Amino acid sequence: MEREESIRRLRAALTDAVGRGRRARTDAHRHAEEFRQRTGELAREAPGGGGDHAAAAADYRRRAGLPVEEFPEKVAETSEATPESPEHTSSDGSDLDFSQARIMR
């Protein structure tokens, strides 16, 4: 009798745990969907590009007498932004300069 009672309690506890897990999963999916929807709404409402914010920040810094660094619109287009590839670096001729670029030539 005691064994049957223990099995019954175990099955009831397992059923309750599975039910709680399913409810938690459902709640998590609902919260995630609500979050995605709200994030999409905020993205549509946000001003585009962030350029307005950058200009406003630069204007504020100028009025406050703070330095304002001027950055190019697209850093990737400047030659300083692209690092030299190993093929273009100078070699001192030592054995330590054994790069893949030299092997591939």
Side-chain angles (χ1 to χ4, degrees), residues 15-78:
T15 301
D16 289 343
V18 170
R20 284 192 305 272
R22 287 180 179 157
R23 284 190 300 275
R25 183 189 65 198
T26 302
D27 287 346
H29 285 290
R30 183 175 44 81
H31 287 299
E33 185 58 33
E34 289 171 358
F35 180 78
R36 274 193 289 273
Q37 288 176 354
R38 181 64 182 141
T39 302
E41 291 170 6
L42 290 172
R44 286 186 292 276
E45 293 171 4
D52 297 335
H53 297 295
D59 185 48
Y60 171 80
R61 290 183 67 84
R62 283 187 194 95
R63 285 184 308 199
L66 299 170
V68 178
E69 294 184 31
E70 299 296 329
F71 294 103
E73 288 289 323
K74 296 182 180 177
V75 177
E77 294 178 357
T78 63

Side-chain angles (χ1 to χ4, degrees), residues 55-104:
D59 185 48
Y60 171 80
R61 290 183 67 84
R62 283 187 194 95
R63 285 184 308 199
L66 299 170
V68 178
E69 294 184 31
E70 299 296 329
F71 294 103
E73 288 289 323
K74 296 182 180 177
V75 177
E77 294 178 357
T78 63
S79 62
E80 295 106 26
T82 55
E84 287 189 18
S85 70
E87 296 172 347
H88 297 110
T89 57
S90 62
S91 171
D92 64 354
S94 70
D95 289 338
L96 297 176
D97 186 34
F98 196 70
S99 67
Q100 184 176 1
R102 291 185 65 203
I103 294 170
M104 299 301 286

